[in-house]
Amino acid sequence: MSKKDSDNVCFWLPNQTAGKMDVLTPHKMIVVFLIQEYLRLKKTVAEGATREQPHQIEVKAGDRKRFCLLLLKLIQYPDLPYKDLYGLLLSPVYGVHPVHLEEFKKLMKLLKTVGIDVMFDLYNEIDKLIVDNTASFQIGIVGLYLRKVFVTMDRMSFHEMKDLYLATIAYYDKGMHAIRLDPCPDASYDCDSLKQTQNQYTPIEPSDHGQLSAKWSVKQSELFIAQQSALLKENEAKALPPRELQKRLNEIIHDRPHCSQAYFLTYMNYLRVREFFGAVHALQRVFDRNPSAGAPPPASTATPESKEYQYSSLNLAILHAEFGQPKLARTCLRECIMLAQENGDTTCLQLAHAWLSHLEGHSMPLPDKNTSGSLFHATSLRILSHLRHGSITGESPSKLFGLLMVNDLLNCQRSMMDLVATGIAERTALWTVYGKHEQASLCAQLLLNVDLKSLGKTYNGNGICQVLCSLVVRLAHLGEFGHALVVLQHTKQRFPRYPQSRDWHLANHYVTVLRAVYRGRWVEATAECQYLHTYDPNLSMLLFAHIALAKQDFSTAENFLARLTQNEQLEPLTRIRAMILSANVYLHCGHTKAFHLLNNALLYAQKYHLQYEEALVNMHFAYLLLVHLHAPRQASVSLKAGLETILANGPIYDRARALFLFARILVEMEQHSPASKRLQQLTTLLATFEEAIEMFEKLECYSKAKDVYVYLAKTYHELGSHEDRNRYSYRYRLLEEQYPTERQYLNVFL
């Protein structure tokens, strides 16, 4: 064995170069017959025009267009049964010229009578077409197709030519028998059914040409895999359904068992339905079918197969990271880095280092300004990773947004739709973290209204799903639960499968828990929290503590919060909210530690630039000073420090609490004034109280509305205004009769 041959040998697989040549099938021969008759028709039309015959055949532009579309479909798509192919010839979208159809039918009927000589005549005819039409066949898929058929036939033996002829006869006879059983083969080929997208494929029947059958050629399978891979990454909703796609991939693997790209697409397809065992198995088959697994290429060359091997290692590492197996993930990443260094693939090297930094919990350094354009995709992802890590570690927001602005500018200049969408989604997330919810909503609307098209394809990837989920949560915070449900249903339709489905599942459970807590439905809220725990354990435990505190089960709430705060990797946002809830637990237990916890939460929020959380802490300080220390003036100072932030950006639940507390403080500040002045102050602030009631009722948070009614009724009673007292007492009774509330939920969280 020569050295050249030994380099292509895999230890447990046959020579990978075997089977690369396409197999000629009856379907491909029928396509050649169609091209042959069309060229003869064109020649007849040209000769008739030259001689100026009175009854010459006319081939219109529409006929030429339909035949070109038909050839594109027949060449790019896998083999069809003869009945389906004949139906295409009669269809309004792909139908051929009547004279062309008649000549083609005559030729097919002559197949049996002429014998195998028709194959050799066809070989000579193709040779003549290539020679006579050299200029027109220099480029184009038709010329390339004919050349491939000619080369393949030139290498076939007489025995193989005979088998191909007999298979073509059997293919034709089977199709004609099916047509006789169904006298109207063109009935199902209406215009609407044929105007399908490029990823719709007609089901393939078993072939009729023996052991060398191949429904998918090399180019057809490569085109199909490239199209479906791009759709899975950019617009998963337009890709084939998982079952249908797997059926096509199984056909490709049957025809080309050493096609590693088919196994990799199988891996991506399994991930859509969360079949992780099958995904790992498919990745292992990628390694088995890859030549570099058994015989690595020399260091001086980087073959496509070796690059596939290193990207498979990268995806296996990501899969282990998702399974919570960091040790195995690091092992795969080191192998990927080693292969990327051997092949000089800096893009894969950057992605591997980014994942390694993520697993080890530290941020990667920012890229240099002279980054190569070919590395920009990986570099942009690296910048976005730095932004996420920086928002958690407390970097300056101005620095992060400045870096994000530069990244967005470069993405737009290069028309990278996925990076543009991800960058805007990251901006939305950053504004949400820093408490600027209106700015976050504006960014989300910007992404949803922009036309993200590149080469005629609309991007519909992960960034779109994230901003839609942020809108669902924002609408729920504004009390628009009906609109939130509509947006959620739209998100489900656009992103039906994993991994994007995880985001809207999380948003759905969170909104459901929030609404159940507002309405005081503890059983429903607890059940949804259990579902939520699968997607976000920290958020679920925070809501469990919220529910326990609302039910005045302080020991359970304290246990949940203790388990939550013991996590050293807890995000600052969640930690501050847990500290606020802990302060409420201590507050209702009469413990003096509440002030200390709120003060720590305030310092923590300032350290990580969380302005909205700082405003919430100030609001709780104000409540503590007003209700428990009876110091309304100090409470006013504390509330005013965060009132503007809450009213400008907060959910209406927080805004209603802030308005109620603000109006209550102003009334209490006049406690030493005459009753008439206090009554006048209360009347002046009545609109603020009514606005808070309206917000609470919009959220269906009737217990909080009752709190306002109780306060107003008591205050009017103290001031001697019995008519106003009776009015609010009556409104309280009506609301209580319509929406009864457990007493344990009254007067919690303000």
Side-chain angles (χ1 to χ4, degrees):
M1 181 183 294
S2 65
K3 183 179 184 300
K4 181 178 180 182
D5 294 333
S6 64
D7 288 340
N8 293 324
V9 175
C10 192
F11 285 108
W12 56 88
L13 293 175
N15 194 334
Q16 297 294 318
T17 59
K20 288 290 186 181
M21 178 63 67
D22 288 340
V23 178
L24 281 182
T25 62
H27 173 86
K28 293 181 175 62
M29 301 309 299
I30 298 299
V31 174
V32 176
F33 290 147
L34 278 171
I35 297 174
Q36 173 186 323
E37 293 304 320
Y38 177 74
L39 293 177
R40 287 179 178 175
L41 177 63
K42 283 185 62 178
K43 186 176 181 181
T44 304
V45 171
E47 292 177 353
T50 304
R51 298 173 183 176
E52 297 182 357
Q53 296 179 357
H55 300 290
Q56 64 178 0
I57 302 173
E58 182 181 2
V59 179
K60 299 181 180 179
D63 298 323
R64 294 194 295 269
K65 178 182 178 181
R66 286 195 298 273
F67 183 69
C68 290
L69 292 174
L70 174 66
L71 279 184
L72 186 65
K73 184 178 181 67
L74 295 178
I75 291 175
Q76 290 187 345
Y77 288 65
D79 292 4
L80 295 173
Y82 182 79
K83 177 187 174 183
D84 294 343
L85 189 149
Y86 186 73
L88 288 176
L89 300 181
L90 302 177
S91 68
V93 178
Y94 301 103
V96 298
H97 193 278
V99 178
H100 184 192
L101 181 62
E102 288 299 322
E103 294 299 324
F104 170 73
K105 291 165 65 176
K106 290 179 183 178
L107 176 61
M108 296 305 299
K109 291 178 181 178
L110 289 174
L111 281 178
K112 287 186 178 180
T113 58
V114 175
I116 197 174
D117 289 343
V118 71
M119 305 302 292
F120 296 103
D121 293 340
L122 180 64
Y123 173 79
N124 295 327
E125 185 70 23
I126 295 175
D127 188 16
K128 186 185 300 183
L129 288 174
I130 295 175
V131 173
D132 294 345
N133 299 275
T134 303
S136 60
F137 283 97
Q138 288 294 331
I139 57 174
I141 62 172
V142 177
L144 180 62
Y145 183 79
L146 290 178
R147 289 175 184 274
K148 289 181 65 176
V149 172
F150 178 78
V151 172
T152 307
M153 293 183 70
D154 186 60
R155 297 184 179 184
M156 293 174 66
S157 63
F158 179 80
H159 179 72
E160 292 172 338
M161 193 76 77
K162 176 186 174 184
D163 290 343
L164 178 60
Y165 170 73
L166 295 176
T168 306
I169 296 296
Y171 173 80
Y172 173 72
D173 289 342
K174 182 178 179 180
M176 293 304 298
H177 178 69
I179 291 174
R180 284 191 291 269
L181 293 178
D182 183 7
C184 300
D186 58 326
S188 61
Y189 291 89
D190 58 331
C191 185
D192 294 334
S193 64
L194 286 166
K195 290 181 179 179
Q196 301 173 347
T197 56
Q198 292 185 351
N199 63 315
Q200 300 296 323
Y201 290 83
T202 308
I204 304 170
E205 295 184 358
S207 181
D208 301 305
H209 46 281
Q211 297 180 352
L212 297 178
S213 63
K215 307 178 189 68
W216 293 81
S217 67
V218 175
K219 294 297 182 182
Q220 286 172 347
S221 60
E222 289 177 352
L223 175 64
F224 174 80
I225 291 171
Q227 287 177 340
Q228 294 300 314
S229 298
L231 287 174
L232 288 182
K233 290 186 291 185
E234 298 178 358
N235 198 344
E236 191 267 345
K238 289 190 176 182
L240 284 176
R243 188 186 298 274
E244 187 72 15
L245 178 58
Q246 193 57 45
K247 180 181 178 182
R248 299 288 167 254
L249 290 173
N250 291 338
E251 293 170 353
I252 294 175
I253 292 171
H254 178 269
D255 293 341
R256 301 180 59 209
H258 307 310
C259 179
S260 59
Q261 296 94 335
Y263 288 98
F264 193 82
L265 184 56
T266 301
Y267 153 75
M268 296 176 66
N269 192 40
Y270 276 132
L271 287 183
R272 300 166 71 191
V273 293
R274 305 190 70 180
E275 176 56 41
F276 297 116
F277 180 81
V280 173
H281 180 75
L283 272 183
Q284 291 170 347
R285 298 289 75 78
V286 174
F287 296 138
D288 294 345
R289 268 68 182 175
N290 207 300
S292 62
S300 59
T301 60
T303 63
E305 290 82 4
S306 61
K307 289 191 175 183
E308 290 173 11
Y309 186 63
Q310 68 198 35
Y311 281 104
S312 301
S313 299
L314 177 61
N315 280 272
L316 186 58
I318 296 172
L319 210 55
H320 283 306
E322 291 292 325
F323 291 159
Q325 300 169 339
K327 186 176 180 180
L328 291 175
R330 291 190 188 97
T331 303
C332 295
L333 284 174
R334 291 189 184 96
E335 181 181 9
C336 175
I337 291 171
M338 178 187 65
L339 291 171
Q341 289 173 341
E342 290 180 356
N343 298 319
D345 190 349
T346 51
T347 301
C348 183
L349 196 61
Q350 282 205 22
L351 293 174
H353 277 297
W355 270 98
L356 192 61
S357 301
H358 173 69
L359 291 175
E360 293 178 352
H362 59 80
S363 177
M364 291 185 66
L366 292 176
D368 298 330
K369 294 183 179 180
N370 55 353
T371 303
S372 172
S374 61
L375 300 178
F376 192 79
H377 196 281
T379 303
S380 180
L381 294 177
R382 183 175 167 186
I383 293 174
L384 295 177
S385 176
H386 179 85
L387 291 173
R388 293 188 181 185
H389 190 269
S391 64
I392 296 175
T393 56
E395 286 195 31
S396 172
S398 59
K399 178 181 178 182
L400 296 179
F401 279 106
L403 183 62
L404 185 58
M405 183 181 297
V406 174
N407 186 56
D408 288 344
L409 178 61
L410 295 176
N411 290 340
C412 294
Q413 288 176 349
R414 288 164 174 78
S415 298
M416 295 182 178
M417 297 298 105
D418 55 338
L419 295 180
V420 170
T422 306
I424 299 178
E426 192 69 23
R427 184 184 295 274
T428 304
L430 283 177
W431 281 124
T432 304
V433 168
Y434 293 124
K436 303 296 184 181
H437 299 290
E438 289 297 327
Q439 285 292 107
S441 179
L442 182 63
C443 291
Q445 294 289 343
L446 174 65
L447 180 57
L448 294 176
N449 285 280
V450 73
D451 192 11
L452 290 178
K453 282 189 177 181
S454 178
L455 301 177
K457 295 181 180 180
T458 303
Y459 176 78
N460 188 41
N462 191 44
I464 307 292
C465 182
Q466 290 175 353
V467 298
L468 283 172
C469 292
S470 69
L471 279 181
V472 170
V473 176
R474 181 59 178 165
L475 288 171
H477 282 161
L478 295 178
E480 303 290 346
F481 292 106
H483 293 163
L485 182 61
V486 171
V487 177
L488 184 63
Q489 292 295 334
H490 174 74
T491 309
K492 290 180 180 180
Q493 293 174 1
R494 291 182 67 170
F495 306 95
R497 298 178 184 89
Y498 185 84
Q500 285 84 5
S501 61
R502 181 188 179 279
D503 295 332
W504 57 258
H505 273 301
L506 175 61
N508 183 25
H509 292 310
Y510 174 70
V511 169
T512 307
V513 172
L514 210 60
R515 190 176 190 184
V517 169
Y518 289 156
R519 301 168 76 178
R521 298 184 178 181
W522 313 124
V523 176
E524 180 183 348
T526 304
E528 287 295 328
C529 273
Q530 292 172 350
Y531 294 134
L532 183 63
H533 191 273
T534 307
Y535 301 96
D536 193 335
N538 294 335
L539 180 59
S540 175
M541 292 176 64
L542 188 69
L543 291 173
F544 270 126
H546 193 137
I547 295 169
L549 181 56
K551 295 167 64 177
Q552 295 189 355
D553 186 357
F554 301 125
S555 60
T556 303
E558 189 174 1
N559 290 334
F560 276 119
L561 293 171
R563 289 169 53 190
L564 191 61
T565 53
Q566 285 174 0
N567 184 4
E568 296 180 356
Q569 297 181 350
L570 191 64
E571 299 86 356
L573 198 64
T574 308
R575 185 176 295 277
I576 293 174
R577 292 175 180 175
M579 294 170 73
I580 293 175
L581 290 182
S582 297
N584 277 274
V585 172
Y586 288 122
L587 178 65
H588 290 280
C589 293
H591 202 292
T592 57
K593 196 177 178 180
F595 270 107
H596 178 67
L597 270 176
L598 286 177
N599 189 58
N600 288 341
L602 185 64
L603 295 176
Y604 207 76
Q606 292 173 351
K607 176 183 177 182
Y608 289 96
H609 312 285
L610 303 177
Q611 185 179 1
Y612 187 76
E613 308 307 314
E614 182 181 350
L616 284 182
V617 174
N618 284 321
M619 183 173 67
H620 281 78
F621 262 128
Y623 177 72
L624 191 61
L625 290 168
L626 176 68
V627 176
H628 292 271
L629 299 182
H630 306 289
R633 296 194 181 278
Q634 288 79 359
S636 174
V637 174
S638 181
L639 180 61
K640 287 181 179 179
L643 184 62
E644 183 179 352
T645 301
I646 294 175
L647 295 180
N649 295 286
I652 63 172
Y653 181 71
D654 291 341
R655 283 153 54 186
R657 292 193 300 173
L659 288 174
F660 178 35
L661 182 60
F662 176 69
R664 189 172 172 180
I665 289 173
L666 292 182
V667 173
E668 295 298 324
M669 287 174 65
E670 302 293 338
Q671 58 184 344
H672 300 297
S673 301
S676 59
K677 188 173 182 180
R678 291 185 62 193
L679 184 60
Q680 182 182 1
Q681 179 78 332
L682 182 59
T683 305
T684 304
L685 294 169
L686 200 57
T688 305
F689 286 111
E690 292 289 348
E691 186 178 356
I693 292 172
E694 183 181 351
M695 290 181 181
F696 283 135
E697 291 184 345
K698 184 177 182 180
L699 289 172
E700 301 177 7
C701 189
Y702 301 111
S703 60
K704 292 294 173 287
K706 293 173 189 176
D707 286 346
V708 184
Y709 288 144
V710 168
Y711 173 78
L712 289 174
K714 286 183 177 180
T715 307
Y716 275 119
H717 176 73
E718 293 174 1
L719 298 177
S721 180
H722 300 294
E723 183 179 351
D724 291 324
R725 178 202 62 186
N726 294 339
R727 177 160 54 91
Y728 283 104
S729 299
Y730 179 69
R731 292 176 64 179
Y732 172 84
R733 190 181 71 179
L734 289 179
L735 194 61
E736 176 64 24
E737 290 176 354
Q738 189 174 4
Y739 304 102
T741 307
E742 298 180 10
R743 290 183 179 274
Q744 60 187 3
Y745 188 61
L746 292 178
N747 202 23
V748 179
F749 315 122
L750 296 184

